[in-house]
């Protein structure tokens, strides 16, 4: 085959990852002057619009990795980049969602979501907020405060605040971990619907392997402390995905088994 490019051919540009860590090491100092290594030699890319889930035993550094990418924690070694630039230069492009919602208890659903939009800067119209509330299936609950909502509705309101902020990268730390299994499944379907509409980059931490396979384009498995990546598995399941149908699939079961076989259930 000729090495000469045909007329009109152009070299393919290499896309810069939305989020990237290289040779990351995280240490936490001890009172005796020593240190605990939480992450060691971790390298990972998340592409534009990609949904990546992270699983691993408790204490392996999954949440720590999100904190590094959010700029809340500085690495002892290695780099963390957003769009090829240091994370501290990308604060306005990152949104963080925790296991338990961080809604303001004295504010209504509408007010909590509006805060997300106002943090982004500039005016926000009532129609924009109303459209977002409708999209989240929270119409009729605009004036309700968090204590008046179910767990799933509170998490949808939290997602609404995140969407109103319009981050380009969603960092999600077990956002459905505190919900019962039925509500958790419903929230998984809601997240897939929202992600399909907005196609933001997502880094999603979970202990639930089936949840990871249902949601993600790739599942990353981490070892016990110090956390290292032991498997980076593409999830070659067609979208859109119906969780009930997937769970009856032999290929789905094989993906789940592959992750289980690589999961190091070290000490918690």
């Amino acid at each position: 085959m000729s090495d000469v490019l045909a007329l009109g051919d152009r070299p393919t540009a290499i896309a810069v990852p939305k989020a990237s860590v290289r040779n990351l090491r995280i240490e936490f100092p001890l009172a005796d002057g020593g240190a605990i290594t939480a992450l060691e030699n971790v390298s990972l890319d998340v592409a534009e619009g990609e949904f990546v889930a992270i699983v691993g035993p408790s204490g392996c550094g999954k949440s720590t990795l999100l904190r590094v990418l959010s700029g809340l924690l500085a690495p002892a070694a290695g780099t963390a980049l957003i769009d090829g630039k240091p994370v501290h230069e990308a604060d306005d492009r990152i949104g963080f969602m925790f296991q338990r919602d961080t809604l303001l208890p004295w504010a209504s659903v509408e007010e909590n979501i509006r805060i997300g939009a106002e943090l982004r800067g500039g005016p926000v119209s009532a129609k924009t907020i109303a459209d977002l509330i409708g999209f989240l299936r929270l119409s009729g609950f605009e004036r309700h405060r968090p204590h008046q909502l179910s767990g799933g509705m509170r998490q949808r309101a939290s997602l609404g605040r995140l969407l109103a902020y319009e981050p380009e990268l969603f960092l999600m730390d077990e956002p459905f971990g505190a919900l019962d299994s039925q509500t958790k499944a419903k929230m998984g379907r809601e997240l897939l619907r929202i992600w399909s509409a907005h196609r933001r980059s997502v880094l999603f931490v979970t202990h639930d392997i089936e949840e990871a396979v249902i949601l993600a384009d790739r599942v990353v498995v981490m070892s016990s402390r110090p956390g290292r990546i032991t498997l980076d598995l593409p999830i070659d399941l067609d979208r859109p995905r119906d969780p009930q149908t997937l769970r009856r699939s032999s290929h789905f079961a094989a993906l789940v088994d592959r992750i289980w076989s690589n999961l190091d259930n070290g000490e918690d």
Side-chain angles (χ1 to χ4, degrees):
M1 182 179 293
S2 172
D3 291 332
V4 178
L5 290 174
L7 185 62
D9 286 349
R10 295 290 185 271
T12 303
I14 298 175
V16 175
K18 175 56 66 177
S20 177
V21 296
R22 287 286 179 274
N23 304 315
L24 197 68
R25 185 173 80 251
I26 299 296
E27 295 179 347
F28 294 112
L30 297 175
D32 63 6
I36 291 177
T37 302
L39 295 173
E40 183 69 70
N41 196 31
V42 172
S43 295
L44 176 68
D45 289 339
V46 180
E48 183 77 44
E50 187 178 29
F51 197 127
V52 177
I54 304 177
V55 299
S58 295
C60 73
K62 302 184 297 294
S63 299
T64 298
L65 179 56
L66 297 194
R67 291 175 64 198
V68 171
L69 280 168
S70 70
L72 295 174
L73 185 63
T79 58
L81 306 173
I82 305 295
D83 291 324
K85 298 179 180 179
V87 293
H88 67 268
E89 298 181 15
D91 291 348
D92 61 343
R93 281 172 275 176
I94 302 167
F96 210 127
M97 187 170 175
F98 300 90
Q99 180 173 348
R100 295 192 179 276
D101 70 77
T102 54
L103 298 173
L104 299 176
W106 59 85
S108 68
V109 167
E110 182 180 64
E111 290 165 341
N112 267 292
I113 292 175
R114 183 178 293 277
I115 286 167
E118 290 173 347
L119 286 172
R120 186 70 177 180
V124 56
S125 70
K127 182 180 184 305
T128 297
I129 300 299
D131 287 347
L132 188 50
I133 287 172
F135 177 72
L136 292 162
R137 299 173 180 168
L138 287 170
S139 297
F141 296 89
E142 294 92 336
R143 307 297 184 203
H144 286 58
R145 289 181 169 79
H147 74 275
Q148 298 172 303
L149 305 174
S150 68
M153 293 171 73
R154 288 172 68 113
Q155 288 302 81
R156 289 209 300 278
S158 292
L159 270 174
R161 190 167 62 185
L162 204 61
L163 289 169
Y165 182 62
E166 296 183 335
E168 297 172 20
L169 173 65
F170 284 28
L171 302 175
M172 309 185 79
D173 192 1
E174 294 192 75
F176 312 140
L179 303 176
D180 63 82
S181 57
Q182 184 177 5
T183 305
K184 183 178 181 178
K186 289 180 179 178
M187 284 303 303
R189 289 194 293 270
E190 284 295 291
L191 180 57
L192 281 178
R193 180 179 69 89
I194 291 166
W195 177 80
S196 296
H198 291 261
R199 287 288 173 152
R200 298 290 194 253
S201 302
V202 177
L203 196 56
F204 184 96
V205 164
T206 179
H207 277 97
D208 187 328
I209 292 174
E210 289 195 358
E211 178 181 54
V213 174
I214 287 168
L215 295 176
D217 297 313
R218 288 160 49 214
V219 174
V220 172
V221 179
M222 295 185 68
S223 70
S224 57
R225 191 175 63 236
R228 297 178 174 87
I229 293 175
T230 60
L231 179 69
D232 191 336
L233 182 66
I235 304 300
D236 53 347
L237 297 170
D238 292 338
R239 295 188 186 272
R241 297 175 183 172
D242 175 65
Q244 289 184 325
T245 302
L246 281 180
R247 287 190 172 96
R248 295 192 293 268
S249 160
S250 59
H251 186 45
F252 174 82
L255 290 167
V256 171
D257 286 345
R258 174 85 185 279
I259 294 167
W260 267 116
S261 69
N262 280 270
L263 190 61
D264 175 8
N265 291 298
E267 65 172 293
D268 288 343

